[in-house]
Structures are given as structure tokens and as C-alpha cells.
Amino acid sequence: MSTNPNILVAVVDGARDSSLTKQLLSLDLCILSDSVSEPGSNPDALRFGVGESDLSRPTAEWVWIHEHPSLSWIESRIKAGGRTILGASGARELNEEALQLHDGISWYIDFSFCAPDFSIDQAADILAVVLEKAGHNSEREQKKLRVVALEALTNAWEHGYGGDESQKIHAIYRVGLDGFHIEISHQGLGFDVNDVPDPMAPENLLSESGRGILIMKNTLDRLEYRDGGRKLVGYKAFKK
């Protein structure tokens, strides 16, 4: 198999004998150096690519992978210029297609989190940092999209898991020139969105139920729930 020469992967806390390393080597990528200290972070990263000259490529061109990422590490990678970040990647099968998500223009942030690194606010802040870096829409719209992430994450935690921080939430943020894509999923209790009371109905004006979904519907161009309500998928187009 001939691997795309544009695939560059940096595995933080990577070990030569790890299953993740074996998957990358099976894609005809090679370890470019034994261990290169990652700028701005204590752990070392194993870097994979086609040729040693790749080591000089900028941060934005690398796919950053961490099997046990903290939310602060993800945020620090984005601030340092990383555009493709995969967290807890040991749980998914890596292939060329998965590693070509980054196109040099868009941001793709894919991570899971739970206690002890649990923070709904920080998970939403990760999106805020991406939107600020992308700069494709107004500051007001960026704040509204952060609220969307906050509501989606809060619903997953509160309604899916009953507030149990030990349970895992999976988040995907994709930000490109055309718009914003979000996926929030969990393995807790599901629901039927059609059963959620209308918060604008006179009898529900004093109730908090359904207000988060209303906020997201009014902000996004598309919003849907899949897997029995356990997965939220939304999209917002950016104004040209």
C-alpha cells in the first residue's frame, strides 16, 4: 500500500510496542525519530510520516493523537496550532481515511472525557478556542455556538447519565470555511425529542425542561438526534 505522503502523525506518550504504533506502522508510515520533545508540553511524542524531512513541518499539518488526553492538553494543542486532534484513539480503528480528515483548512477535534478530567465548561471552551482560531464568523456567533456545545454536553451528562461524571461523553467538533459541525454522544439513557415539552407553551413558561433544545434549534441550521436520543448531530453554515 502506498500511503499518502501528506499524512503526518504525532502520538503523545507513544511507545514503540503499543497497539497504536503497530496500527500506524501497518499503514506504511515510519517512526521519524525515537522521541521528539513536543513544544509546550512535558510528554514526548513519537512522530510518524514518510520521510525525515517531515519533522520540520508545522504543527498544523500533524494529526495529534493521545490515548488518554486531558481537556487542557487538547486545548493547548489547538492554541499551539494543531488542527486535527484525536483523543482516546485506541478505541477506534485507524486507517488512511481517518488520518486524512485534516485538509489544511478545517479543524477536526475528536475526544472523549469523564472523571477525573471532567468539565463541561472546559469541553465547551475547546470549541470556543477553535472558533476563535478559525475566525470565519462573528464573535457573537462564536459565543452562541459555544452555548450550543455547552447545552448539548450538559444534556448528555444530566439526562443521559443522571449527573454521573464517571461516565464517558464523546464529542466531535469540525470547523471549516463553510460551517460548523458538532456531534455529542453517550451510552446512557436515551429519549424521544418529540416527547420533550414545548418550553414556549403557556403551561411550560416556568419550566426549565426543553429550553436547551430550543436554544440549539434556534442557533443551528440542522439539529437531529440519533441512536434513541443518545447522539446529537448539528450543523451551522457560516455567512459568506
Side-chain angles (χ1 to χ4, degrees):
M1 177 177 64
S2 178
T3 298
N4 186 323
N6 292 321
I7 294 180
L8 303 170
V9 181
V11 180
V12 180
D13 285 344
R16 280 181 171 271
D17 59 351
S18 72
S19 60
L20 184 56
T21 294
K22 292 175 182 176
Q23 287 184 67
L24 292 169
L25 292 175
S26 72
L27 297 175
D28 289 341
L29 294 171
C30 61
I31 298 175
L32 301 182
S33 62
D34 287 342
S35 188
V36 179
S37 181
E38 178 194 353
S41 182
N42 290 327
D44 287 343
L46 281 178
R47 307 212 181 192
F48 297 77
V50 177
E52 287 292 332
S53 61
D54 290 335
L55 286 172
S56 63
R57 303 272 284 275
T59 298
E61 296 184 17
W62 293 80
V63 176
W64 293 91
I65 301 179
H66 200 311
E67 293 193 76
H68 305 287
S70 67
L71 297 178
S72 58
W73 177 81
I74 295 170
E75 187 173 333
S76 71
R77 278 293 86 218
I78 298 167
K79 288 181 177 179
R83 292 189 175 186
T84 305
I85 298 172
L86 306 179
S89 61
R92 66 171 64 83
E93 180 182 353
L94 286 177
N95 52 43
E96 274 200 74
E97 183 179 0
L99 297 176
Q100 290 174 22
L101 291 168
H102 172 60
D103 56 16
I105 298 174
S106 63
W107 281 253
Y108 184 91
I109 316 299
D110 183 332
F111 64 99
S112 298
F113 69 103
C114 58
D117 188 45
F118 189 91
S119 172
I120 292 294
D121 280 307
Q122 192 172 9
D125 285 342
I126 288 172
L127 174 61
V129 173
V130 173
L131 292 170
E132 183 180 1
K133 285 277 188 182
H136 298 322
N137 54 345
S138 68
E139 183 178 349
R140 181 171 178 270
E141 287 295 315
Q142 291 174 12
K143 290 180 178 178
K144 289 170 67 175
L145 291 177
R146 182 195 179 276
V147 171
V148 166
L150 191 63
E151 292 290 346
L153 292 162
T154 299
N155 284 347
W157 170 50
E158 289 186 350
H159 302 300
Y161 293 132
D164 185 353
E165 296 180 2
S166 69
Q167 301 300 313
K168 187 174 293 184
I169 297 175
H170 183 202
I172 296 176
Y173 304 141
R174 185 184 295 118
V175 178
L177 289 174
D178 296 330
F180 158 70
H181 174 93
I182 182 172
E183 291 184 20
I184 304 295
S185 58
H186 62 85
Q187 297 302 312
L189 295 175
F191 75 104
D192 186 340
V193 69
N194 295 315
D195 293 337
V196 177
D198 179 3
M200 301 307 294
E203 67 273 18
N204 298 325
L205 291 179
L206 298 180
S207 173
E208 293 295 322
S209 180
R211 294 194 178 277
I213 293 177
L214 180 63
I215 289 171
M216 291 187 286
K217 282 184 176 179
N218 288 341
T219 303
L220 298 171
D221 295 321
R222 293 198 303 269
L223 175 67
E224 61 179 285
Y225 284 89
R226 302 173 184 172
D227 189 25
R230 297 178 184 84
K231 182 175 184 178
L232 174 149
V233 179
Y235 175 77
K236 174 69 174 181
F238 292 153
K239 295 179 181 179
K240 299 297 184 181

